[in-house]
């Protein structure tokens, strides 16, 4: 798992290699098997996945709606298959799976195709079932992911969604200048991730401070809300510490009842339009005696006196890209907590790398 966390800069580079066109400020994804006319006719996008891939799909929905201005939803494959899904005209579906063998996602793909849907796969394993049976798709080129807890596949999957959103956006409402900004920001992300990985020692020390706690809340807003859910999942998977991911705005709708000195809260505090909202939520937790760990942009002075501990990440020009930087500290925190507790991080109990049965 540690090896794969540290492979993420190279995995992201492979994911964008040859797929960014700076001259046209767009992306190329040759495996889609769709013409420009087909892409222009798309009126909505539906994403289906399970586990970590589902959270990557949630990031994808924010991107496609904000960048390409195309309505998008994501659904758990296990639920979609048994829901007798409605396949609408001019709707593109994505089936997302690292292994390409996830049973629920594969069955959902088949059910959608049976109803006439166009389904594209986003997979890592070449020649996998979803890659073969989909109508086209994109390989994430993450390289072999062996650890049960997925890390680099998540960042590689969202890389594909950034590329696809850029491609679709440039065909619609996204200006050349805005497209170029997105393309250039995506190209510097691997370097920014490397800067976070260089702080592993401080994150390891932080994990040692908190590993004995039994419950955690992970809280984010907007495009970082699914990152909070992914952070909670990682901690549960490999350390067996109970953790829940929520929208920071939702804590007043129930979870705030859990706040006490024994339940630390992880807050994701990006430098975007939702920052002040998140800080307001942090103050609510602080006033009730909760311990707060914040993942925040370097030089964010407004958190002093509110957060007990801060993990700093590099500042980005475009706030849409913070999921790449927010998720890495959460992966490292979960990993080091598990080590501190003596867990077998690569063979967590009751879990398999690929869920190939219902």
């Amino acid at each position: 798992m540690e090896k794969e966390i540290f492979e993420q800069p190279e995995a992201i580079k492979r994911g964008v290699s040859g797929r960014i066109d700076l001259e046209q400020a767009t992306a190329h994804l040759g495996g889609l098997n769709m013409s420009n006319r087909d892409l222009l006719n798309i009126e909505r996008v539906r994403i289906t996945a399970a586990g970590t891939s589902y959270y990557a799909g949630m990031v994808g929905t924010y991107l496609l709606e904000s960048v390409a201005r195309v309505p998008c939803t994501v659904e758990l494959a296990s639920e979609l298959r048994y829901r007798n899904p409605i396949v609408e005209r001019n709707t593109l579906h994505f089936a997302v799976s690292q292994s390409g063998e996830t049973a629920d996602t594969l069955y959902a793909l088949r059910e959608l195709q049976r109803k006439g849907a166009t389904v594209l796969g986003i997979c890592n394993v070449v020649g996998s079932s979803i890659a073969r049976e989909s109508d086209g798709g994109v390989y994430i080129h993450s390289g072999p992911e062996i650890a049960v807890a997925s890390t680099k596949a998540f960042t590689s999957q969202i890389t594909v969604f950034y590329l696809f959103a850029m491609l679709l956006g440039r065909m619609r409402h996204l200006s050349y200048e805005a497209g170029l900004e997105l393309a250039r920001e995506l190209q510097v992300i691997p370097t920014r991730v490397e800067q976070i990985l260089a702080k592993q020692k401080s994150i390891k020390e932080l994990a040692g401070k908190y590993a004995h706690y039994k419950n955690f809340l992970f809280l984010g807003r907007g495009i970082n809300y699914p990152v909070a859910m992914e952070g909670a999942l990682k901690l549960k998977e490999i350390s067996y510490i109970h953790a829940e991911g929520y929208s920071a705005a939702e804590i007043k709708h129930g979870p705030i009842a859990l706040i006490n000195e024994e339940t630390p809260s992880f807050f994701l505090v990006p430098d975007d339009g939702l920052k002040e909202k998140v800080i307001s939520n942090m103050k609510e937790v602080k006033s009730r005696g909760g311990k707060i760990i914040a993942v925040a942009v370097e030089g964010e002075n407004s958190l002093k006196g509110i957060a007990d501990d801060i993990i700093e990440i590099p500042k980005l020009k475009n706030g849409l890209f913070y999921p790449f930087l927010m998720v890495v500290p959460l992966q490292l925190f979960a990993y080091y907590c598990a080590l501190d507790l003596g867990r077998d991080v690569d063979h967590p109990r009751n879990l398999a790398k690929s869920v190939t049965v219902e």
Side-chain angles (χ1 to χ4, degrees), residues 4 13 17 19 30 35 40 51 70 76 86 119 163 175 177 190 214 219 261 302 343 353:
E4 289 165 6
K13 285 179 187 177
S17 179
R19 290 172 168 172
S35 67
L40 276 171
V70 176
L76 289 167
I86 297 170
V119 187
L163 291 167
S175 70
E177 290 77 13
K214 305 299 183 185
L219 304 156
E261 292 182 356
S302 59
R343 314 301 192 207
K353 178 59 183 169

Side-chain angles (χ1 to χ4, degrees), residues 17 34 47 50 60 67 69 71 96-97 121 127 135 160 175 182 193 195-196 220 231 256 286 294 298 316 325:
S17 179
M34 299 180 73
I47 302 167
V67 175
R69 304 301 297 157
V96 189
S97 166
D135 299 297
V160 169
S175 70
L182 292 175
V193 173
Q195 291 171 346
I196 296 170
I256 201 165
K286 189 69 174 179
E298 290 171 340
L316 297 175
L325 308 191

Side-chain angles (χ1 to χ4, degrees), residues 1-294:
M1 182 178 176
E2 182 185 39
K3 170 179 173 288
E4 289 165 6
I5 290 172
F6 279 81
E7 285 176 347
Q8 285 177 109
E10 287 302 318
I12 297 167
K13 285 179 187 177
R14 286 195 299 272
V16 301
S17 179
R19 290 172 168 172
I20 291 181
D21 181 351
L22 289 178
E23 186 176 340
Q24 301 297 324
T26 188
H28 291 304
L29 295 170
L32 299 180
N33 295 335
M34 299 180 73
S35 67
N36 284 350
R37 178 58 55 189
D38 293 333
L39 292 169
L40 276 171
N41 285 336
I42 295 171
E43 294 179 3
R44 63 192 66 82
V45 176
R46 307 287 190 230
I47 302 167
T48 186
T52 288
S53 297
Y54 174 74
Y55 299 138
M58 287 181 69
V59 174
T61 64
Y62 282 94
L63 288 171
L64 285 164
E65 293 198 343
S66 61
V67 175
R69 304 301 297 157
V70 176
C72 184
T73 57
V74 60
E75 185 161 5
L76 289 167
S78 55
E79 295 296 324
L80 183 145
R81 181 194 177 196
Y82 292 102
R83 197 173 49 78
N84 192 20
I86 297 170
V87 173
E88 303 148 302
R89 292 181 183 273
N90 301 323
T91 299
L92 180 65
H93 295 259
F94 280 102
V96 189
S97 166
Q98 187 280 139
S99 66
E101 303 292 346
T102 308
D104 288 322
T105 308
L106 179 59
Y107 296 149
L109 176 148
R110 291 170 178 168
E111 180 66 16
L112 289 167
Q113 288 178 326
R114 194 173 295 117
K115 295 178 180 296
T118 297
V119 187
L120 303 182
I122 296 179
C123 301
N124 190 31
V125 180
V126 176
S128 58
S129 295
I130 290 176
R132 293 196 315 272
E133 296 189 29
S134 59
D135 299 297
V138 185
Y139 283 118
I140 64 175
H141 298 313
S142 190
E145 188 179 69
I146 308 302
V148 170
S150 182
T151 51
K152 64 177 180 175
F154 176 84
T155 45
S156 293
Q157 286 167 347
I158 66 173
T159 298
V160 169
F161 281 119
Y162 280 88
L163 291 167
F164 184 71
M166 194 188 315
L167 170 63
L168 217 56
R170 284 289 288 128
M171 299 178 73
R172 296 165 186 247
H173 311 292
L174 197 66
S175 70
Y176 173 85
E177 290 77 13
L180 191 61
E181 178 189 319
L182 292 175
R184 286 176 170 163
E185 192 82 312
L186 189 54
Q187 287 183 317
V188 303
I189 288 299
T191 301
R192 301 292 178 260
V193 173
E194 286 174 351
Q195 291 171 346
I196 296 170
L197 292 171
K199 299 180 179 181
Q200 65 177 112
K201 185 177 179 181
S202 61
I203 297 174
K204 182 178 182 179
E205 291 172 355
L206 189 68
K209 177 180 175 181
Y210 285 95
H212 69 281
Y213 286 91
K214 305 299 183 185
N215 299 284
F216 278 81
L217 291 176
F218 285 74
L219 304 156
R221 293 290 299 271
I223 198 168
N224 294 295
Y225 162 44
V227 178
M229 298 179 75
E230 170 63 7
L233 177 62
K234 283 293 149 293
L235 191 62
K236 283 183 280 195
E237 282 182 310
I238 60 171
S239 73
Y240 318 144
I241 297 170
H242 175 251
E244 297 295 335
Y246 284 96
S247 164
E250 283 294 297
I251 59 170
K252 289 177 286 188
H253 296 274
I256 201 165
L258 299 173
I259 298 298
N260 58 38
E261 292 182 356
E262 297 302 316
T263 304
S265 297
F266 247 104
F267 274 91
L268 306 185
V269 192
D271 185 19
D272 63 14
L274 288 169
K275 181 181 75 173
E276 294 305 321
K277 299 288 187 183
V278 175
I279 292 174
S280 175
N281 297 137
M282 292 174 66
K283 289 177 180 176
E284 297 226 14
V285 170
K286 189 69 174 179
S287 68
R288 289 162 175 81
K291 288 183 168 57
I292 294 175
I293 309 165

